[in-house]
Amino acid sequence: MHFYFCRDATVIDRWLERAINRGLKELDISPRQMTIIHGEIVVEAEKLYRLPWVSFANNAQSLTSLNLEYVRMADIQSAKLQRDEKYLLPSLKTMSFECVWFDDKAFFSLLLECPSIKYLSLTGCTFGDFTCRVSSSSLEFLKLKFCFQLEVLQVHDETNNLESFTFFSESAPYSLCENVIMNKSFKLKNINIFTGSYNLYDSYHLSWVTLFANAKFLTSLNLEDTRIANISANVQSDERLLPSLKTLSFAISWFADEALPSLLLECPSIEYLSITECCFENFKCQVSSLNLKSLEVMDCERLQVLQVDEAKNLESFTFASPLPSHEKVILNNTFNLKNINIGVDDLGQFSLNGCHRALKATINVQNLHLFDFLGTLKAEFSVKGCQGAKIAVRELLFKNWFVHYSSHFPTLIGCLKEFGCCKKISLYNQDLKALIIPNHFRKEFSSPLPKICTLEVMMPSPPTKASRDYFDLMESLHWIAPSAKVKICKSETHRFDALLEEH
């Protein structure tokens, strides 16, 4: 049954009583009694339709869904109803309130009458005592949105089956959320918090110990407009704080020094991490997680260095920013990385130390000063605006590898071609014959680096200038980069040893 835009209370009472007496299952009431002042909606408690609880006594046993808008609700206990049943709304599973005014104790007394409630949503509601108390052993989903005058949200111990909690506000006091999750038996799997001040100094200070000390079942956490402190300074436990967490998302948040690394240590199962429009105290974002599969860092103000370490299961990486410049993006030991998307105007250095052979990377940077790549020949790149590159592919680091796999010369040519936009390339090579392209391949393919200015080949044991090997190698390198100044340089052995150890 639906009641919309009817402002005559007697008419609503009459229809409501008839509907409930007929075994109503769903009830929506929205009298839309409000005042508009200077273009804004103002809800005045004395003008709202008062819900007559007497109509529900003994007659609302079959009601499963209740949606109320612009209604005033009194304390059920104070109504002193004459009833035969223990609960007023024993079958109710879903309740949604918008712009509802709750008198003192009205909301708490209502929940006591709903033993089967599972979903509860409150939007723009007002509480007479500025406190929202939630107590329900059956409740699974709780959502509060823009309840501006709310000062205290207290979830009682009985609410031990709650799985999802969402909180939105544009003016939340710092103390608001600190009493939300207190019970050790909570089964929370999903938390979303948005405080909406859009000011780092006014952002909600998240209390990790208070909020998540018992969130062992939490799998998804989304936070917006929060200040994140270093957890290690507050957590005194050998157990991980968020052992089941798989999805973690931050937006418009501020991280103290070492806050993100300390948090990730508490999330051993994390798979997806998203960071959008966030600030870091030391202008550096460090990510280290063995199980992380997807990382997105978007539009982070003043971020200079992004470093990822030991993310051996990382499959997807996205970094984008409209800001003019960033210093470094470093990905270390990302041997399972299959997808890269980078979009920034100016980047000092991008280091990729390890990737999957099926990697597909789009590096859309207007001015990339240095691309330091350690990977495989089969990785596919789309690189724009790169000034210089250091290339160390696994196949070139092993002696005699190309002798046994000469069919990989076309793959080498294709790999080098991806770096054709560079002005200078340093290529690490352990195998002399690997860069001597056979004549039949030179006839079949065009030069992969026709426009670069400098080609530098780094070898631990370069051939002597008077030798045949030196002549053959130089001839091949001039075919590879016909316009470049070609140099063959000796590289320290430990550099190659380090590269091989990483693989």
Side-chain angles (χ1 to χ4, degrees):
M1 179 65 72
H2 309 278
F3 295 99
Y4 295 115
F5 303 104
C6 180
R7 300 189 179 186
D8 190 329
T10 57
V11 173
I12 298 177
D13 287 347
R14 185 167 61 251
W15 279 98
L16 179 60
E17 185 175 359
R18 291 178 182 176
I20 291 177
N21 287 336
R22 293 178 180 177
L24 188 70
K25 289 188 176 182
E26 297 182 5
L27 176 61
D28 299 347
I29 299 178
S30 181
R32 297 281 174 172
Q33 293 174 318
M34 55 191 171
T35 303
I36 299 178
I37 301 177
H38 301 301
E40 294 188 4
I41 296 176
V42 178
V43 178
E44 299 178 83
E46 62 275 6
K47 294 182 180 181
L48 294 176
Y49 170 69
R50 290 179 177 269
L51 197 69
W53 288 121
V54 66
S55 299
F56 289 81
N58 302 318
N59 298 314
Q61 305 300 302
S62 60
L63 191 65
T64 60
S65 176
L66 177 62
N67 301 306
L68 302 178
E69 296 181 2
Y70 301 96
V71 169
R72 183 169 182 175
M73 195 174 297
D75 179 10
I76 296 177
Q77 303 300 323
S78 64
K80 298 180 180 180
L81 303 176
Q82 299 295 323
R83 53 181 177 174
D84 300 326
E85 302 293 336
K86 181 179 180 180
Y87 297 107
L88 195 67
L89 302 165
S91 303
L92 194 67
K93 296 184 180 298
T94 300
M95 279 199 298
S96 178
F97 301 111
E98 183 172 345
C99 297
V100 172
W101 184 289
F102 295 96
D103 290 345
D104 290 0
K105 301 180 181 179
F107 179 72
F108 187 74
S109 66
L110 171 60
L111 283 183
L112 295 178
E113 301 293 338
C114 309
S116 304
I117 190 70
K118 293 186 178 296
Y119 176 95
L120 175 60
S121 175
L122 301 106
T123 303
C125 294
T126 303
F127 298 83
D129 56 357
F130 308 109
T131 299
C132 176
R133 296 180 177 86
V134 179
S135 179
S136 171
S137 60
S138 61
L139 188 64
E140 296 178 359
F141 183 98
L142 174 61
K143 179 179 180 180
L144 288 92
K145 188 175 182 180
F146 307 132
C147 297
F148 302 113
Q149 298 182 19
L150 182 64
E151 293 182 357
V152 178
L153 171 61
Q154 183 177 357
V155 179
H156 287 222
D157 292 351
E158 291 79 8
T159 315
N160 54 11
N161 284 302
L162 188 65
E163 294 185 2
S164 179
F165 170 69
T166 300
F167 173 74
F168 287 81
S169 178
E170 291 185 352
S171 57
Y174 294 151
S175 62
L176 178 59
C177 291
E178 293 186 358
N179 295 319
V180 172
I181 305 170
M182 298 294 293
N183 191 287
K184 292 184 179 180
S185 59
F186 272 15
K187 298 179 181 178
L188 269 166
K189 297 179 180 178
N190 181 44
I191 294 179
N192 303 281
I193 297 179
F194 165 63
T195 56
S197 71
Y198 299 106
N199 186 322
L200 291 178
Y201 298 101
D202 295 333
S203 298
Y204 171 62
H205 291 254
L206 194 67
S207 174
W208 290 104
V209 176
T210 304
L211 278 175
F212 306 113
N214 302 298
K216 305 303 181 185
F217 298 97
L218 191 66
T219 60
S220 176
L221 176 61
N222 303 304
L223 301 174
E224 187 165 335
D225 193 35
T226 53
R227 292 173 68 88
I228 313 300
N230 188 334
I231 297 179
S232 59
N234 300 307
V235 176
Q236 304 295 329
S237 175
D238 294 333
E239 295 185 4
R240 300 295 178 91
L241 198 64
L242 301 166
S244 303
L245 193 69
K246 293 185 178 296
T247 300
L248 181 58
S249 170
F250 295 99
I252 320 176
S253 296
W254 182 90
F255 291 87
D257 190 24
E258 297 296 324
L260 184 58
S262 68
L263 170 59
L264 291 178
L265 287 175
E266 303 295 332
C267 310
S269 302
I270 189 73
E271 294 183 356
Y272 173 86
L273 174 61
S274 175
I275 304 171
T276 304
E277 294 186 61
C278 294
C279 287
F280 296 82
E281 185 177 22
N282 59 357
F283 311 114
K284 183 177 182 179
C285 175
Q286 293 177 281
V287 176
S288 180
S289 174
L290 287 175
N291 289 316
L292 188 65
K293 293 182 178 180
S294 176
L295 173 61
E296 294 181 0
V297 181
M298 310 282 286
D299 305 334
C300 290
E301 183 179 357
R302 295 184 293 176
L303 177 63
Q304 292 302 315
V305 178
L306 170 59
Q307 183 168 335
V308 179
D309 295 308
E310 301 302 329
K312 296 182 178 180
N313 288 297
L314 187 67
E315 296 180 1
S316 177
F317 171 73
T318 299
F319 177 66
S321 174
L323 299 179
S325 65
H326 300 270
E327 290 182 8
K328 296 179 181 180
V329 174
I330 302 171
L331 307 180
N332 289 324
N333 299 329
T334 51
F335 301 121
N336 204 41
L337 193 57
K338 300 174 184 176
N339 186 273
I340 294 177
N341 285 286
I342 297 179
V344 296
D345 287 340
D346 189 278
L347 180 59
Q349 177 181 339
F350 173 48
S351 294
L352 175 59
N353 299 318
C355 68
H356 194 276
R357 64 178 58 193
L359 172 70
K360 293 185 178 180
T362 299
I363 305 173
N364 189 9
V365 182
Q366 299 300 318
N367 186 21
L368 175 59
H369 297 266
L370 176 62
F371 181 15
D372 193 350
F373 171 61
L374 169 59
T376 72
L377 287 177
K378 293 186 177 180
E380 296 181 14
F381 289 94
S382 174
V383 184
K384 296 180 180 179
C386 185
Q387 299 296 314
K390 291 183 179 180
I391 305 173
V393 293
R394 184 180 184 182
E395 293 84 350
L396 296 180
L397 301 181
F398 293 94
K399 290 184 177 180
N400 302 320
W401 193 87
F402 267 72
V403 174
H404 301 289
Y405 299 94
S406 59
S407 61
H408 284 273
F409 278 109
T411 308
L412 171 62
I413 295 171
C415 176
L416 294 175
K417 193 173 183 179
E418 300 293 349
F419 296 88
C421 65
C422 298
K423 294 181 179 180
K424 178 181 178 180
I425 291 179
S426 296
L427 183 62
Y428 288 87
N429 179 41
Q430 181 93 325
D431 183 4
L432 171 69
K433 299 186 182 300
L435 291 180
I436 301 178
I437 309 296
N439 287 328
H440 64 279
F441 285 123
R442 298 186 203 181
K443 295 178 181 179
E444 182 179 352
F445 297 95
S446 59
S447 298
L449 302 173
K451 296 181 179 180
I452 71 167
C453 300
T454 303
L455 175 59
E456 188 176 64
V457 176
M458 311 297 295
M459 303 180 67
S461 301
T464 57
K465 289 187 177 182
S467 67
R468 180 68 186 179
D469 287 340
Y470 179 84
F471 175 80
D472 291 343
L473 179 57
M474 287 295 291
E475 183 182 40
S476 179
L477 293 177
H478 280 297
W479 174 83
I480 292 174
S483 302
K485 179 181 179 181
V486 177
K487 295 189 293 183
I488 302 174
C489 305
K490 181 177 176 60
S491 176
E492 298 297 332
T493 305
H494 68 79
R495 168 64 174 167
F496 285 84
D497 292 340
L499 295 175
L500 290 170
E501 285 177 5
E502 291 179 1
H503 281 272

